[in-house]
Amino acid sequence: MQTNVLEYLENTVMRLPDKVAFADENESLTFQQVYEKSRSIGSTLANLGAVREPVVIYMEKSPSAITAFFGVIYGGCFYVPIDEEMPKRRIELILETTGAKYLIYDENTRDKLGELGFAGTALSYQESVDGEISEDKLAAIRSQALDVDPIYVLYTSGSTGVPKGVIGHHRGVIDYIENLSDVLQFTEDTVFGNQTPLYMDASMKEVYPTIKFGATTWLVPKSSFMFPVQVVEFLNEHQINTICWVVSALTMLSAFGTFDSVKPKYLHTVAFGGEVFPIKQFNLWKQTLPDAEFYNLYGPTEITGVCTYYHAERLFEEKEVIPAGRPFKNTRIILLDDEGKSVANGEMGEICIQGTCLTHGYYNNPEKTKEVFSQNPLNSCYPDFIYRTGDLGKWNDEGQLIYVSRKDFQIKHMGHRIELGEIEADVALIDGVKTCCCIFIPESGKMVLFYVGDVDKRTLTVALKDRLPRYMIPNAVLQLDALPLSTNGKMDRKKMQEIYESRKRKRER
């Protein structure tokens, strides 16, 4: 039975030592190179006396950064990725929360080390991989390893602005990768195109199946996403056949006419998640790649990755919603009302998750961990933990989970309870709208709609009156050249509120 994620790499390197595992425009590493370099890093940490503790990875997104992750695991520790594009205060909070004594940097981040205020031991990646492998120490570390040992701490954005470090472990990642691979049918011939930052859990969809099957992952340059045609050309150049991207990245390609000039020639598997896929944009993808398989995936970082899937095999009508689908094996979904009782089929409740997929909670934050990793209210007989997602969902007649919205996005406006996602779904269907997002500003009680598209605001407002009841019509509509996105590629609602308030102040002067 698999108990350690490193067994994936060790099994593959015996079969395919010279095959490229991870690559970008500047570097490519074979499985043999990843194996040897990561064991050298593990030995470096072991020689320093690091024991089951956080090691910060401060490197540019690259095959080497991924190798550093495995090196930290070989050292019996757990990796904490940070990124030079993160706000300085966020990095400071991560360093403060983890109390990390060790940090690995590369040539691209070396000169920025001084700005971090890191007080521990900073290790050069290059010097670490050039170090001698200590077989005895690595063997001793492995002999003491447990399948519940942490392997990473990934930081998500907290609602209070304080980042939360989610602690993933071997058993959870193995459970996740085995389920995901079974659903998406990964093989040795899979060629991934990675879109997400390496400090996001979404990148695990490529990283760990790559070492499990002996697949290959290409890191798509972030800069190319400013030019959608370049993204597709990159996919074609490297014969990428599988992508697992956030919805906003997929929408960026379809909504701006990219497929009119170039199409992804090799894609046969498209998985998506993170946000609701606008039906108009999903249908464009489906029509462009009629022979490809499409999967909607749902799940938060706190349950390791994703926990439900839906095989989207058809086009959808404009008023339909693509289901979040069924739970993975060894995973249970329950929907609870505000009183902690199970809801009936068709009724809406908070999505709560059980299973091996649950992470250990938040690093150095027991209060927040207890708040959302809590006892199942349906069982008082023994410890039975669930993760409360804060998402609202319901079961349809086919037993498929339907994601409705975040509890935070369910608002009270003009005496009516409204789902902001419902407004967005209607707006996205209007001719000329490429993408949109609706936010609510509690201080003023206003709903503000942001959109990108060719339709003017006046025409859009008239169309909204035909489609929405009066109490659901946004109080303000702003047209932008592009919607702001967060570092993980999702809609940045906080930034949108700042844009709205800035424009409002200018008008009031």
Side-chain angles (χ1 to χ4, degrees), residues 244-269:
C244 306
W245 290 3
V246 295
V247 166
S248 53
L250 295 173
T251 299
M252 183 197 65
L253 298 188
S254 58
F256 291 88
T258 308
F259 299 146
D260 294 338
S261 56
V262 60
K263 295 179 173 62
K265 293 189 293 185
Y266 302 95
L267 277 185
H268 59 58
T269 302

Side-chain angles (χ1 to χ4, degrees), residues 50-326:
V51 179
R52 291 190 292 277
E53 57 186 290
V55 177
V56 174
I57 306 296
Y58 183 48
M59 297 174 62
E60 190 173 74
K61 180 179 179 180
S62 64
S64 290
I66 296 171
T67 301
F69 294 171
F70 299 135
V72 170
I73 300 172
Y74 266 114
C77 296
F78 42 99
Y79 60 88
V80 185
I82 60 175
D83 189 275
E84 58 185 330
E85 295 183 359
M86 287 180 176
K88 181 181 178 183
R89 181 55 183 157
R90 180 178 175 83
I91 293 177
E92 291 173 348
L93 287 169
I94 291 173
L95 294 176
E96 180 182 317
T97 304
T98 59
K101 294 185 291 185
Y102 302 99
L103 176 149
I104 299 175
Y105 66 91
D106 62 12
E107 291 303 303
N108 297 298
T109 57
R110 179 182 57 185
D111 294 338
K112 301 171 186 176
L113 272 177
E115 302 172 11
L116 298 184
F118 178 68
T121 301
L123 305 170
S124 161
Y125 169 83
Q126 194 56 55
E127 291 179 8
S128 298
V129 298
D130 289 342
E132 187 176 340
I133 297 174
S134 177
E135 299 287 354
D136 290 345
K137 288 186 177 179
L138 293 184
I141 289 170
R142 182 66 70 86
S143 71
Q144 297 294 315
L146 303 177
D147 65 352
V148 292
D149 283 343
I151 58 175
Y152 64 74
V153 176
L154 300 180
Y155 276 81
T156 66
S157 297
S159 57
T160 61
V162 178
K164 300 173 296 184
V166 178
I167 313 161
H169 49 82
H170 288 276
R171 188 169 65 181
V173 171
I174 290 169
D175 184 74
Y176 169 43
I177 297 306
E178 294 298 317
N179 274 301
L180 184 72
S181 300
D182 184 53
V183 168
L184 299 186
Q185 296 294 294
F186 299 144
T187 70
E188 181 182 317
D189 297 323
T190 298
V191 182
F192 292 104
N194 163 270
Q195 168 259 326
T196 54
L198 297 178
Y199 58 82
M200 303 301 300
D201 68 277
S203 66
M204 292 196 297
K205 296 185 185 74
E206 298 104 11
V207 170
Y208 286 96
T210 291
I211 61 170
K212 171 180 169 61
F213 291 99
T216 297
T217 289
W218 280 89
L219 306 180
V220 183
K222 182 179 179 181
S223 59
S224 67
F225 280 90
M226 298 174 63
F227 309 97
V229 169
Q230 288 186 11
V231 174
V232 180
E233 289 175 341
F234 185 92
L235 299 180
N236 288 340
E237 178 185 354
H238 300 294
Q239 299 185 25
I240 290 166
N241 55 38
T242 303
I243 57 176
C244 306
W245 290 3
V246 295
V247 166
S248 53
L250 295 173
T251 299
M252 183 197 65
L253 298 188
S254 58
F256 291 88
T258 308
F259 299 146
D260 294 338
S261 56
V262 60
K263 295 179 173 62
K265 293 189 293 185
Y266 302 95
L267 277 185
H268 59 58
T269 302
V270 180
F272 54 91
E275 295 170 299
V276 174
F277 208 150
I279 294 302
K280 184 166 63 176
Q281 301 305 324
F282 170 78
N283 286 344
L284 276 172
W285 270 91
K286 189 73 174 170
Q287 290 162 345
T288 301
L289 301 173
D291 297 326
E293 305 295 339
F294 289 80
Y295 296 88
N296 187 17
L297 304 175
Y298 164 79
T301 307
E302 286 82 352
I303 54 85
T304 306
V306 298
C307 59
T308 72
Y309 67 96
Y310 176 78
H311 189 188
E313 300 180 88
R314 61 179 176 84
L315 298 175
F316 285 78
E317 299 296 327
E318 66 173 36
K319 284 292 187 179
E320 287 188 281
V321 175
I322 303 174
R326 302 185 186 280

Side-chain angles (χ1 to χ4, degrees), residues 451-471:
Y451 79 99
V452 175
D454 303 324
V455 60
D456 61 80
K457 285 199 296 183
R458 181 179 178 83
T459 303
L460 178 61
T461 303
V462 171
L464 288 176
K465 291 178 180 178
D466 291 336
R467 303 184 73 96
L468 297 172
R470 184 172 62 88
Y471 62 85

